[in-house]
Amino acid sequence: GTSAIGLALFGPKLLLLIYGARFAPAIAPFRLLLAATLIGNGAAVLSQAYAARGRPGLVTITEAVGLLLSVAMMLVLVPHFATVGAAISVLASAIFRLAAYAMGMKMFVGGGMPRLVPSLTDIHRLLDGALRRPAPALAIEPVSLEPLS
């Protein structure tokens, strides 16, 4: 999340700085793929609920349909829009997968849609717990240096 904000703000400038002006056409696909990555990560988080509830087959089907959607869209869009068409295809697949997992949560997992973005309370609890609890001590067992017989 945080790195995506940094990439959204500075990625295009870094592309131009590192690779030069001839890479300016890469900025649009970069932005689309960044969005696809964020959405795809949300889909991956939701897919874990399906696997944890014993429904890994639904994850396989959803991912396969997402792949087929991406490939089909690439066959149509890439000849006309090149890398932007490919990036749109990947983004559409990520949106499909997130939507499919979200819509099936109540029916297949037995719960409502979880929050994908932490609340201020979540962050407070995380920081509070990290600051109050000392790190657990590592239990290290002594190792014998005698040769094995």
Side-chain angles (χ1 to χ4, degrees), residues 14-62:
L14 286 173
L15 274 173
L16 296 176
L17 179 69
I18 295 169
Y19 299 107
R22 65 189 177 118
F23 274 77
I27 293 172
F30 171 82
R31 288 181 171 148
L32 292 166
L33 291 172
L34 183 61
T37 300
L38 288 171
I39 294 168
N41 286 343
V45 168
L46 293 183
S47 75
Q48 296 305 305
Y50 287 80
R53 296 293 231 163
R55 306 300 298 260
L58 291 173
V59 174
T60 302
I61 291 168
T62 303

Side-chain angles (χ1 to χ4, degrees), residues 90-142:
V90 173
L91 177 59
S93 174
I95 291 169
F96 162 77
R97 290 181 292 114
L98 179 64
Y101 290 132
M103 288 188 297
M105 288 299 285
K106 189 170 188 172
M107 185 184 317
F108 297 115
V109 178
M113 174 72 175
R115 285 190 332 262
L116 295 177
V117 177
S119 68
L120 289 176
T121 303
D122 295 332
I123 294 168
H124 181 331
R125 286 181 184 160
L126 177 70
L127 293 174
D128 187 47
L131 295 174
R132 286 188 182 191
R133 293 186 208 127
L138 296 175
I140 301 174
E141 296 182 27

